[in-house]
Amino acid sequence: MYARISGVGSYLPGQPVSNDELIKRGVDSTDEWIVTRTGIKSRHLAEPGCTTSDLAYEASCRALAAAGIAAGDLDLIILATSTPDFVFPSAACLLQSKLGNQGAMAFDVQAVCAGFVYALSIAEKFIRSGSHKRALVVGAEVFSTIMDWNDRTTCVLFGDGAGAIVLEAAEKPGILASSAHADGSFNEILSVPGQINCGKVSGDPFLRMDGPAVFKVAVRVLADVAKECCEAAHVPPAELDWLVPHQANIRIIESTAKKLGLSMDKVIVTVDRHGNTSAASIPLALDVAVRDGRIRPGQKILLAGIGGGIAWGAVLLEF
């Protein structure tokens, strides 16, 4: 028994917020500075009160429609997020309720920007074991709630959004290989070092990042894990049809492609239009490329992401 993607969907809240609009709101930066260093031109920001499970619901409905199945047919729901609605219950259980599903196994995965590839790897193993047949795998974030809007090194980078896929049991291979790792010794270079303690915020509740350190680690491990995944599936990088990387920074994306020997013509890039949406960025980019016709059945696609932890991983699949 194998696992194949049968449907994809995504959702971005509200209208795009351009770099210039952020600057008008008081962010100390320029459009040129942001675009040159990150490739980001706009992002979407959820309205106050809009939660991760709200965004996940919209993306999930689109993925279920594309797969042609009802929410009640799901027996597994995994939601990758670092910005859940509450401490508990999980955003996955809240999503399950909104979808009207009862009884499916549902839980969150927290691996920040690597969350979606972690979640997809987990779902594939449940299906391969024979215990589950239809899984909904979602990446959804409301990172605007953990931004310090006075810190221009981080607030211009991130956005809100959600992406989802339906993964079903099949006789033909779909997920060909997966690989994931973490190194907690790098925990301080990308974190939200705050806690809820006795009803009060203890520590710093905003996202903090050592950009140069993250860049240095990312350009090394993303290419390594991509190659590891390709070797496990006996698929040389040259035979890939598409690379769908975590949409964090255009320079990281270009470096990863170069290390894999891939032309940027084979790389799906959407970071310019929605910024870094953390766990949502890979399924968002995947959905865009499926719906515009670039990704087609039978093609080999490599997904790769890295996030706080530091955690990173890759999934190679045949669409």
Side-chain angles (χ1 to χ4, degrees):
M1 187 63 67
Y2 300 100
R4 292 185 65 86
I5 293 177
S6 60
V8 296
S10 63
Y11 180 73
L12 292 165
Q15 296 300 310
V17 177
S18 69
N19 294 334
D20 287 335
E21 187 171 345
L22 274 190
I23 294 162
K24 289 178 182 177
R25 295 183 183 186
V27 175
D28 181 19
S29 189
T30 66
D31 178 69
E32 181 183 9
W33 189 92
I34 298 169
V35 173
T36 300
R37 287 163 177 77
T38 70
I40 298 169
K41 298 178 181 178
S42 65
R43 74 285 295 144
H44 290 249
L45 304 176
E47 293 292 329
C50 180
T51 66
T52 288
S53 66
D54 290 333
L55 301 185
Y57 171 78
E58 298 293 342
S60 298
C61 288
R62 289 161 171 77
L64 289 166
I69 69 170
D73 296 328
L74 299 169
D75 52 17
L76 176 63
I77 299 171
I78 306 179
L79 200 163
T81 187
S82 299
T83 55
D85 300 24
F86 307 116
V87 173
F88 67 82
S90 70
C93 283
L94 297 174
L95 170 62
Q96 180 185 40
S97 176
K98 291 174 181 179
L99 289 171
N101 176 286
Q102 293 180 319
M105 185 179 187
F107 60 92
D108 289 355
V109 167
Q110 213 279 45
V112 198
C113 306
F116 183 77
V117 291
Y118 265 55
L120 183 55
S121 299
I122 294 167
E124 186 257 351
K125 289 170 176 56
F126 271 102
I127 290 176
R128 289 291 299 271
S129 76
S131 64
H132 295 73
K133 295 185 182 302
R134 294 186 181 90
L136 176 67
V137 184
V138 188
E141 305 281 14
V142 186
F143 256 51
S144 58
T145 61
I146 55 172
M147 288 294 102
D148 178 353
W149 294 99
N150 294 312
D151 180 4
R152 75 167 188 168
T153 64
T154 58
C155 71
V156 300
L157 303 178
F158 294 90
D160 304 332
I165 64 101
V166 174
L167 195 68
E168 297 193 61
E171 295 182 359
K172 181 181 178 182
I175 306 298
L176 305 179
S178 63
S179 182
H181 304 277
D183 187 340
S185 67
F186 289 106
N187 69 86
E188 293 184 353
I189 67 175
L190 179 56
S191 66
V192 179
Q195 301 173 327
I196 296 175
N197 190 339
C198 298
K200 298 179 180 180
V201 175
S202 174
D204 187 347
F206 297 118
L207 183 149
R208 303 300 179 191
M209 181 173 67
D210 181 342
V214 171
F215 183 88
K216 184 177 180 179
V217 175
V219 297
R220 174 174 57 85
V221 302
L222 279 177
D224 288 347
V225 77
K227 291 175 182 177
E228 180 182 343
C229 205
C230 286
E231 289 173 4
H234 306 291
V235 176
E239 293 184 8
L240 295 173
D241 292 289
W242 295 103
L243 170 66
V244 184
H246 168 47
Q247 307 290 313
N249 180 306
I250 190 61
R251 293 186 297 161
I252 294 175
I253 293 171
E254 290 172 343
S255 176
T256 302
K258 183 177 181 180
K259 287 178 177 290
L260 293 175
L262 295 176
S263 162
M264 286 299 291
D265 291 339
K266 284 191 167 187
V267 183
I268 304 299
V269 178
T270 58
V271 67
D272 58 315
R273 67 187 80 172
H274 58 64
N276 184 344
T277 54
S278 189
S281 79
I282 289 176
L284 269 168
L286 182 67
D287 184 47
V288 167
V290 169
R291 291 179 185 274
D292 69 21
R294 280 178 290 173
I295 290 180
R296 301 186 299 277
Q299 292 183 331
K300 290 182 173 60
I301 319 296
L302 181 69
L303 317 178
I306 180 171
I310 293 290
W312 65 95
V315 174
L316 178 61
L317 59 93
E318 181 179 290
F319 194 73

